Each structure stands twice: as structure tokens, then as C-alpha cells.
Amino acid sequence: MSDKKIRVLDLLDLDLKDRNALDLRCIAGRRGLSREITVSDINRPGLALSGFFDSFAYERVQLFGRGEFAYLQKLKEEGKFNTIEQLFSYSIPCMVFTHGLYPDETFLSEAERTDCPILQTDLESTEFSMRLLRIFFQLFAPKKTVHGVLVEVCGIGILLTGDSGVGKSETALELVERGHRLVADDIVELSCVNGNSIIGRGANKLISHHMEIRGLGIINVSQLYGIGAVREHKEVQLVVKLESWDQNKIYDRLGTDAHTQDLLGVKIPYIELPVKPGRNLPIILEAAAMNERLKSMGYHSAREFNQNVLKWIESGEAQSAYYGNEDYY
């Protein structure tokens, strides 16, 4: 049972298009549209229609396909209305009929009496199930908002964090200028999907592709650089913290140790990038993104360098180079 919930009315109000559209419409039980969905799953009520209600998952959305619809027709012909009455005695959030199927008046009358929403879609059962579960994964996924900038660099989603004024937006703007894409600036909403992926998007869809550049003001990246310079969401695959250069701090110079940051229970690769005049941060971030792609393919540059150095020392060539140099005598 999830501690999150949505109303049935929210499913009808979702602005979904193309392959995500549910094409739902309410055909009965409108007074129950405020009922809450608390479980991100679907149930096919075949056993319940046969009269077996043990372990009936009534708290889920009930899906009626051609098989369930045919069984309803059989119950009507046999006059077994008690099973339908028992079905509606449970607090079901809503029932959905796929393939454009339309239940009989007896079924709809019972839905009106119990205020149980009856929804209809022209989609096939399998397709509707996949779309609805995909939407449930997004709606019920754990979420949090962070202060930062999310950009896509060389196909890698990089979340830039750091203190205000350190240069996150300016760095992201330079990356956009170099052909990469902005996902969100300032406030990034993170959601955990499938328990192992962190998806980032703008907390506010209307302003997520706007950037605040100190001394310049607010700019619209999609208008200035074209629609190809932005995207709606992206998986976070690397977290980069920008911080002012501290001469007393020891920064990682080899990269042999893997550092991660926990985001909603998922470990994301993490690096600290010191900022000071003269450092070309966009180029460094491009290199970091491509290096992360190499790591995902099984190639780790720093570890290979370390192994090569060890092999060189073990081979004796290092000692020969050291003791064979006349400068050391």
C-alpha cells in the first residue's frame, strides 16, 4: 500500500498525448470521481465475477476486457445479479472497460447507486494496461526537488549542484551553446522510477526552460536556441558539484576511487569540480560525460592507468630508468 494517492478524476484530467494517451471517458458513477487510487496496480476481476471474492484486490483499478465483458453478459442471461451486487459492495476506486465495450443498464444502474465510477476507453486491454502502469510509475514514484541545473551532455544527464552564484546557469548556457540540451534550471524535480532510475524534470513545466543569468535577466532557451536545445526530462546519470576553489582542500587528481551520491535511495556517480578563473568548465563537463559513458561500457581510464603504472614498476623498467640516469649520481 502506497502512502501516495490520486483521484479518479485526476486520470481523466491528465494531459497525455500520442502513445501515453488513455482516451478515458466516464460513462457512469460521476459522483464517485473523487474516489482515491492508493495502489499503483491493476486487477482483472474474473474470479470475483465467478463469485470467488477471497483475497479480492478491490483497492486496485478493475479492468474489464473482452473476457470479463463476455462473463457479464452470461451473468445477465442467467439472471445472477447477486454477484454484481456483491462486486459493487466493495470500495472499488473505479472500473475501466476497454475495446470501447459498454456494459448493460443493470450494471450501470448499480454503479450509479454505489457512486462507483465506470470509465471506458477504445484501447485494447494490453495496451491500456501498459500505458496506465507507466503513468502509475510516474505518479506514485518517490519525488524530491533540488536546487540545481539539469543538462544532457553527450547523452548523459548531468545534475549541476553547488552554492548560489557559483556559475551553474552560466555553465549550462555555454553547454547549450555547444550543442547540448537543457532540461531544467534552478529547481529540478527528481523521481525514482522502477527503484533504480532517477528521472529529472523541471518542477514547473511552464518555466523549466527559462534561465536566470545574473546581469542579463531571464532568458528563454527554447526561443533563443531552438526547440532542439531543450528536452522535457532526462535520467540523472552523473552529479557534479561546482564549488569555489579552495587551495587548502585536496582534490581528486586520479579518479581511481568511485564516489556516489544518494538520490532517493539510488547511488549516482558524483564528482566535485572546483571553479576558478581560467578553467573551461563546459569542456571539462563534456569530458566527464564521455568518460562516464566509457565507464558504463566497462572501460575505466583511471584504473587502467593505475594498472599500467604498476606493470611498469613490476617489469623493472622503472628501476632501470631511475638508476640508469646519470643525473642521480
Side-chain angles (χ1 to χ4, degrees):
M1 183 76 68
S2 172
D3 57 350
K4 298 190 176 185
K5 51 193 176 183
I6 62 172
R7 299 178 304 164
V8 177
L9 183 61
D10 295 332
L11 287 181
L12 296 174
D13 289 342
L14 288 175
D15 184 18
L16 302 171
K17 300 176 182 177
D18 301 328
R19 63 186 179 90
N20 291 319
L22 297 176
D23 297 331
L24 285 172
R25 47 195 172 272
C26 182
I27 58 177
R30 291 183 176 277
R31 291 192 302 268
L33 288 177
S34 59
R35 289 191 178 188
E36 295 176 339
I37 302 173
T38 58
V39 178
S40 57
D41 209 342
I42 301 172
N43 183 58
R44 302 291 291 265
L47 287 175
L49 292 176
S50 67
F52 185 81
F53 286 91
D54 292 359
S55 301
F56 176 42
Y58 66 89
E59 69 278 4
R60 302 180 184 181
V61 173
Q62 305 298 313
L63 184 64
F64 287 74
R66 286 175 174 166
E68 291 82 4
F69 184 79
Y71 200 89
L72 281 179
Q73 296 296 100
K74 180 181 178 181
L75 291 177
K76 177 183 177 182
E77 294 172 359
E78 296 176 353
K80 296 181 179 179
F81 301 110
N82 59 326
T83 302
I84 297 177
E85 292 176 356
Q86 189 174 359
L87 178 68
F88 279 100
S89 67
Y90 289 88
S91 298
I92 297 172
C94 68
M95 303 182 188
V96 181
F97 284 78
T98 60
H99 299 277
L101 299 173
Y102 201 94
D104 59 65
E105 291 301 323
T106 302
F107 191 92
L108 297 178
S109 298
E110 195 66 22
E112 292 288 355
R113 185 184 68 81
T114 57
D115 294 336
C116 180
I118 306 298
L119 309 181
Q120 183 190 56
T121 178
D122 292 330
L123 295 174
E124 296 181 354
S125 299
T126 302
E127 179 65 24
F128 176 80
S129 299
M130 291 190 299
R131 295 188 185 190
L132 184 59
L133 289 175
R134 189 162 58 234
I135 293 168
F136 278 164
F137 284 146
Q138 297 175 6
L139 295 178
F140 286 86
K143 294 182 176 63
K144 67 178 294 186
T145 57
V146 297
H147 175 66
V149 181
L150 181 58
V151 289
E152 182 192 55
V153 181
C154 301
I156 297 293
I158 299 181
L159 177 63
L160 301 177
T161 65
D163 295 335
S164 180
V166 76
K168 298 185 295 295
S169 296
E170 290 80 358
T171 301
L173 184 61
E174 175 65 21
L175 287 169
V176 171
E177 179 70 30
R178 295 173 64 86
H180 306 291
R181 296 196 282 184
L182 173 72
V183 181
D185 179 63
D186 195 28
I187 302 298
V188 182
E189 181 185 82
L190 304 177
S191 58
C192 179
V193 179
N194 298 329
N196 59 3
S197 297
I198 301 299
I199 305 299
R201 55 173 51 83
N204 188 320
K205 184 185 296 186
L206 298 177
I207 63 174
S208 60
H209 295 149
H210 292 71
M211 298 182 70
E212 176 193 356
I213 306 297
R214 285 174 173 79
L216 182 61
I218 304 296
I219 63 172
N220 188 326
V221 174
S222 62
Q223 293 292 330
L224 283 176
Y225 296 95
I227 197 64
V230 298
R231 62 175 302 168
E232 295 297 322
H233 54 81
K234 175 64 181 176
E235 180 182 357
V236 178
Q237 297 156 290
L238 178 65
V239 178
V240 178
K241 180 182 179 182
L242 303 182
E243 60 177 40
S244 300
W245 187 289
D246 184 356
Q247 61 180 2
N248 297 319
K249 183 175 180 178
I250 300 177
Y251 294 101
D252 189 1
R253 300 184 63 178
L254 294 180
T256 54
D257 297 327
H259 301 281
T260 60
Q261 180 171 337
D262 186 286
L263 294 178
L264 295 171
V266 180
K267 301 295 184 182
I268 305 297
Y270 169 83
I271 61 176
E272 293 181 349
L273 196 58
V275 177
K276 73 174 184 178
R279 299 204 85 194
N280 194 322
L281 295 182
I283 290 181
I284 296 176
L285 288 173
E286 286 178 339
M290 290 185 285
N291 191 47
E292 194 60 35
R293 292 188 66 179
L294 282 175
K295 289 180 182 179
S296 66
M297 298 170 64
Y299 180 82
H300 200 297
S301 302
R303 292 175 183 172
E304 185 195 41
F305 172 80
N306 190 46
Q307 291 174 357
N308 289 338
V309 171
L310 292 176
K311 290 179 181 179
W312 180 59
I313 294 175
E314 293 173 354
S315 67
E317 295 181 8
Q319 296 181 10
S320 300
Y322 181 82
Y323 291 112
N325 194 328
E326 296 180 356
D327 293 341
Y328 292 98
Y329 291 99

